[in-house]
Amino acid sequence: MIKENLKAVRVNIPTDVTLVAVSKTKPIEDILEAYAEGQRIFGENKVQELVDKYEVLPKDIEWHLIGHLQTNKVKYIAPFVSLIHAVDSLKLLKEINKQAKKNGRTIDCLLQFHIAQESSKFGLSFEYAREILESNEFVELQNISIAGVMGMATFTNNEEKIREEFQALENYFNVLKSHYFKFNNHFQHISMGMSGDYQIAIDEGSTMVRVGSSIFGSR
Ligand SMILES: *Cc1c(COP(=O)(O)O)cnc(C)c1O
């Protein structure tokens, strides 16, 4: 089924939108099935699971960490992770920078914004993001690259609500782009949209969707 599911999802995604196949909780065999169909970008939300899968799977896979990251765990993924989606503090950015430097790398990060109505511990406010980007400490971070923004809409059937939240994220992206990244082509991604709402997200300007259950089945 994974093969058919993947095909069905791909049909809905324009070629300039990146598909991250979210394989959290799913076994190695499932990932290999998607890999056999040409999928190379996979997303996981837990550090230990990500490391375990990285070790046994083909090395041309691009691994994205999509879940919350604790500073004390950055060191485990710094040698190989290709994009960290959920950066929500200066402290975390500094640690990613430190571990990237140790590994002789530059690590791409997305700033996670809190756009949903639901209260959540995670995600930046727009004001805090601006504070980070304007700080002297941020300027000194040479081993991280901010590749864009990420957010999650409220879990609801109210399509208008979801649409408004994605519009808010796209607006944050545009304002940050014009203020801080005007001449930086690396700042290019809006990571938004999951199985239930990726079509709306694409309508609203998503450049990267994170799709799990529509490909691998329910968890
Ligand atoms: C699990 C997860 C997804 C994928 O969710 P599905 O509804 O299974 O597509 C996307 N983004 C994040 C941050 C997740 O934790």
Side-chain angles (χ1 to χ4, degrees):
M1 269 317 274
I2 291 171
K3 181 176 169 177
E4 288 75 18
N5 290 345
L6 189 57
K7 281 189 176 149
V9 169
R10 279 176 175 160
V11 165
N12 295 322
I13 299 177
T15 48
D16 58 347
V17 172
T18 303
L19 171 61
V20 180
V22 176
S23 49
K24 63 190 188 194
T25 78
K26 299 296 177 180
I28 298 298
E29 306 83 75
D30 288 10
I31 298 175
L32 284 173
E33 212 174 316
Y35 183 89
E37 293 305 307
Q39 184 65 32
R40 291 294 180 274
I41 305 177
F42 292 89
E44 290 283 336
N45 71 336
K46 294 212 165 75
V47 166
Q48 188 60 54
E49 189 175 346
L50 175 58
V51 170
D52 290 346
K53 287 174 173 172
Y54 163 75
E55 282 172 356
V56 299
L57 281 157
K59 291 295 173 281
D60 62 341
I61 288 178
E62 266 184 46
W63 290 103
H64 291 195
L65 185 78
I66 61 171
H68 179 69
L69 175 58
Q70 289 173 285
T71 47
N72 62 343
K73 292 189 176 165
V74 175
K75 57 180 178 284
Y76 302 115
I77 59 168
F80 68 91
V81 72
S82 54
L83 181 61
I84 298 176
H85 283 238
V87 175
D88 64 357
S89 72
L90 180 59
K91 179 171 165 239
L92 180 56
L93 267 181
K94 285 163 80 172
E95 179 62 15
I96 296 168
N97 185 72
K98 180 177 155 191
Q99 297 299 332
K101 196 169 184 176
K102 269 192 191 165
N103 285 277
R105 308 183 63 211
T106 300
I107 295 180
D108 285 347
C109 300
L110 301 178
L111 297 175
Q112 180 183 10
F113 284 92
H114 181 69
I115 53 169
Q117 191 173 40
E118 294 143 358
S119 60
S120 154
K121 287 176 291 187
F122 307 126
L124 297 161
S125 66
F126 191 62
E127 274 316 302
Y128 182 32
R130 294 191 68 150
E131 255 174 56
I132 291 176
L133 296 172
E134 287 175 14
S135 69
N136 294 327
E137 284 170 293
F138 174 76
V139 177
E140 282 164 20
L141 305 178
Q142 297 294 318
N143 291 75
I144 52 122
S145 176
I146 305 294
V149 302
M150 178 268 203
M152 270 185 282
T154 303
F155 188 70
T156 172
N157 288 324
N158 184 345
E159 199 181 306
E160 257 328 290
K161 176 86 194 139
I162 295 170
R163 203 172 280 283
E164 280 168 17
E165 291 171 356
F166 286 152
Q167 281 166 359
L169 186 61
E170 203 219 6
N171 184 50
Y172 290 167
F173 173 85
N174 288 333
V175 176
L176 294 180
K177 176 85 186 162
S178 66
H179 277 72
Y180 307 103
F181 300 98
K182 202 162 187 172
F183 303 107
N184 179 346
N185 291 331
H186 214 74
F187 186 83
Q188 58 177 328
H189 280 298
I190 306 178
S191 167
M192 61 185 187
M194 310 175 22
S195 292
D197 57 20
Y198 70 89
Q199 313 262 22
I200 305 172
I202 290 168
D203 278 355
E204 300 305 332
S206 173
T207 69
M208 188 175 269
V209 292
R210 310 176 308 270
V211 180
S213 47
S214 289
I215 298 171
F216 296 106
S218 59
R219 291 178 296 270

